[in-house]
Structure formats: C-alpha cells, structure tokens
Amino acid sequence: MLFSGAIAAGFIIIAAVVSTSLVHIALCFIGCSFGYAMVRNAAVAVLMQYFPDNFASMNGVSSVGGPVGMMIVPPMVQQLLNLYGWRGALALLGAMSANYCVFAALVRPLRTRNSYTPIADGEPSSTTNQSSNESLWGKLRQKFETIRDKLCLQMFVDEPGFLTLLLVSFLEGTLFCGWHIFLVPNGIALGFNVTRSSFLASFTGFGSMFGRLLSGFLIDHGLLQAHHVFAGSSFLLALVCLLDPIAAPSYEAVATLATLGGFFFGVCAPLLVVLTVNIPEERRVCALSWMFLFTGFGMSAGGYTVGWIYDMTGDYGVAFCTMGVISAVMGVLSSTLGPLRFSCKT
C-alpha cells in the first residue's frame, strides 16, 4: 500500500509538469490508476482478514471516504482551477494523494502462514532427483501450470457464478465511469452554470455515502441477501437513468436523481466486493483481482461508449437511457447469483 500510494501520487504530480501532449498526460494517469488499483486491492484484502464476521458492514464503512471525497473535491477543484490553473490544481491533488502512504503506514500487517513444510531427516527435498534430461515441453508445461495456479484460472471452471460475477463487474464499471464522467457535463448541457453543475457530483457523493453504510448493515444482520440487494439497486438505478431526460428542465429534479443515483451506486459498489465471499478463502484475493480487472475494463469502455453516444446523438438523454438499459441487464444477471456463505459467522 505504501509503494502503490507513492506511485499514484507521483504520477499525478508528474502530470502537472509534463508537456501539454495528450499522450504524456494519458500515460501519467495510466500510472496513477495502476497505483490506485493496487491500493484498493490491498485495502480490501486487509479488511477480509480483519473483519471475517462483519465484512459487509466494514467494507461499506471503509468505502465511505470515496463519496465524501466526491462531495468535497469537485467544488474544491473548481476553485483550485480558478486560482492556480490546471497544473497547480493537479499538483495539489497529487500532494493530497500522498496521504495514501501516511495512512498505509498505520495498517497492521496481515497474519501470515508458513509457506513451507519442514523436511524430516533423510527425506528427499523437492529439488532432489530432478531429471536433468527433462524435455523443453515438460518445462514449458510446468511453467504454465505454475502461472495457472498463481492466476487461479481454475476458478473459471470450478466456481459457479464466477463468470457471471465478472460480467456484472464489467457492467458496473461501465455504468460507474459513464455516470460520473458525464454527470457534470450533462448539467452544463442542460443550461446550468459550472458551479451548480459541479455540485451535482456532491449530491451523488451524499447519496452514495448513505448507500454504502446501509447495504452492509442489512446483510450482516441477515435482513436481506446481498445478491437481492444488488439486483434491486440495479433495477432502481436503471429507473433513475431513464428518468433523466424527463427531469432535464429542473435543477431540483436533476439534483434529486443525482442523489438517488449516488445512493444506488453506493449500494452496488461495495456489494460487488462482498459477493466474492462465496469464493473459497485461498482464492478470494485472486478473485478480487480478476473482478477489479474486469471493472477496470468496464470503466474504460463506459467512458468511451457514453461519450461516443453523445457525439453521435448530441443528446445526453440518449446516453443516460442507454446506461439505464445496461443497469437493468446488470440487475438480471446479479439476481442469478447465489446467497452468501460466510465461513466465520459468529
């Protein structure tokens, strides 16, 4: 987490001082995203081990910082842009991101297991009697099996619902990025000024904060099943997206939909992680990595797809309706996932 946080913060600061070449800036943000992804994966792995009995609640609480940042940062960045320009704003955001390292230093080390078994006297070690004439094909096959074990590729065959979970992760990433990138531009296109449009992101963060806190509480207390909550939130998010063109003339209506959309995103985002509880413990972190990988693919596809739809139609209403359809499909898929099987429930 220390190393990854330094990468994320460093690349943001570098982006503030490089040339205005789009390629250079894009490479900086790819590096920043790489660092952030490693921080996120490590943070969830830590939570899984620290809180086996109430992971859903703790995962929701730990992710509240995201929507709080969404409430505070957009208006703050607008002021930084006005005062210092985009380079100064990026440099200050990079300096803020360096706090990843500060807080990572406070995380307790994980409990570890011995990765070896002592060999009794006279027992041959694993390196003894290896054939010196082993064929090249045998060595390649052994290397492939090692890589397959490390990547847990067998999960794609053994774990029911894992492929569905990855597809849901991809769709959630598509929606998350499409919504958050074009929420503010949609407000500007509707005729609201820049300041009021940037506050739409704050409304989204406000709703997301409550969604993240509530979802884990409902699941840990056995009131609802995670896949049912996820599916229901996906269908309601679809309704919010489909209502966007109707609410367009009124800022109050758009702000209300932004708050509701944030609430349903706040429910779905942490629950996507909680759904990996059905994966065996020894494969769970690897499953998280695959899930975040597909979420990242979805984020890349979401920003491009929603932007392309707007370029073709000139109407954000069509783009938001498309996201509504995607959210409905995500709800259908998530409803087929099985109930959670917590292994350490007290």
Side-chain angles (χ1 to χ4, degrees):
M1 292 173 73
L2 284 162
F3 175 72
S4 307
I7 290 178
F11 273 103
I12 296 179
I13 295 174
I14 292 172
V17 298
V18 297
S19 67
T20 54
S21 168
L22 181 61
V23 175
H24 293 163
I25 296 176
L27 289 174
C28 289
F29 282 111
I30 289 173
C32 170
S33 300
F34 176 77
Y36 172 75
M38 291 197 293
V39 170
R40 177 65 177 148
N41 203 354
V44 175
V46 165
L47 283 175
M48 281 186 166
Q49 190 169 101
Y50 288 170
F51 304 101
D53 295 338
N54 54 349
F55 172 66
S57 296
M58 291 300 101
N59 182 56
V61 170
S62 72
S63 62
V64 164
V68 171
M70 288 173 58
M71 294 168 60
I72 298 172
V73 171
M76 183 190 70
V77 168
Q78 192 61 46
Q79 293 300 317
L80 292 178
L81 288 170
N82 295 336
L83 292 172
Y84 305 110
W86 68 270
R87 290 188 185 274
L90 272 181
L92 289 171
L93 285 176
M96 290 171 54
S97 300
N99 284 290
Y100 280 137
C101 302
V102 177
F103 289 107
L106 301 177
V107 176
R108 292 181 181 179
L110 292 174
R111 298 186 301 273
T112 58
R113 301 183 180 90
N114 289 332
S115 58
Y116 65 91
T117 301
I119 297 176
D121 293 339
E123 182 181 345
S125 68
S126 59
T127 58
T128 306
N129 299 329
Q130 289 184 345
S131 173
S132 59
N133 298 322
E134 187 178 3
S135 66
L136 177 62
W137 169 249
K139 293 180 180 179
L140 290 175
R141 185 175 64 179
Q142 186 178 13
K143 289 290 185 183
F144 175 78
E145 290 175 352
T146 302
I147 294 173
R148 183 191 63 186
D149 292 340
K150 293 292 185 182
L151 296 178
C152 299
L153 297 180
Q154 197 64 28
M155 281 193 301
F156 289 85
V157 179
D158 295 344
E159 300 299 334
F162 184 60
L163 287 174
T164 303
L165 183 61
L166 293 182
L167 183 55
V168 170
S169 301
F170 176 84
L171 295 178
E172 198 271 342
T174 302
L175 287 172
F176 189 89
C177 207
W179 172 278
H180 288 87
I181 287 179
F182 294 102
L183 179 67
V184 174
N186 179 44
I188 295 173
L190 293 175
F192 310 130
N193 62 42
V194 174
T195 301
R196 298 185 82 191
S197 297
S198 66
F199 269 103
L200 292 176
S202 299
F203 288 120
T204 298
F206 181 76
S208 181
M209 181 175 62
F210 286 98
R212 291 169 190 252
L213 289 173
L214 180 63
S215 58
F217 175 84
L218 294 175
I219 292 162
D220 280 337
H221 287 77
L223 301 176
L224 291 171
Q225 284 290 338
H227 64 297
H228 292 156
V229 177
F230 190 97
S233 298
S234 299
F235 289 128
L236 292 172
L237 179 60
L239 180 62
V240 168
C241 293
L242 294 173
L243 288 175
D244 181 80
I246 300 174
S250 168
Y251 180 80
E252 289 75 16
V254 173
T256 301
L257 289 180
T259 305
L260 291 174
F263 177 82
F264 297 129
F265 271 117
V267 172
C268 291
L271 284 191
L272 199 58
V273 175
V274 173
L275 288 171
T276 60
V277 168
N278 282 346
I279 306 296
E281 185 178 359
E282 64 273 9
R283 292 177 169 180
R284 204 166 290 162
V285 175
C286 194
L288 274 174
S289 301
W290 279 107
M291 189 194 71
F292 285 142
L293 177 66
F294 275 75
T295 302
F297 287 148
M299 287 181 170
S300 300
Y304 177 83
T305 302
V306 176
W308 179 82
I309 291 173
Y310 176 74
D311 288 342
M312 294 294 103
T313 63
D315 184 5
Y316 280 116
V318 177
F320 274 78
C321 286
T322 303
M323 287 192 283
V325 174
I326 294 174
S327 185
V329 173
M330 186 172 71
V332 172
L333 290 173
S334 59
S335 64
T336 65
L337 297 172
L340 295 185
R341 302 186 299 271
F342 285 101
S343 57
C344 301
K345 200 67 177 175
T346 53

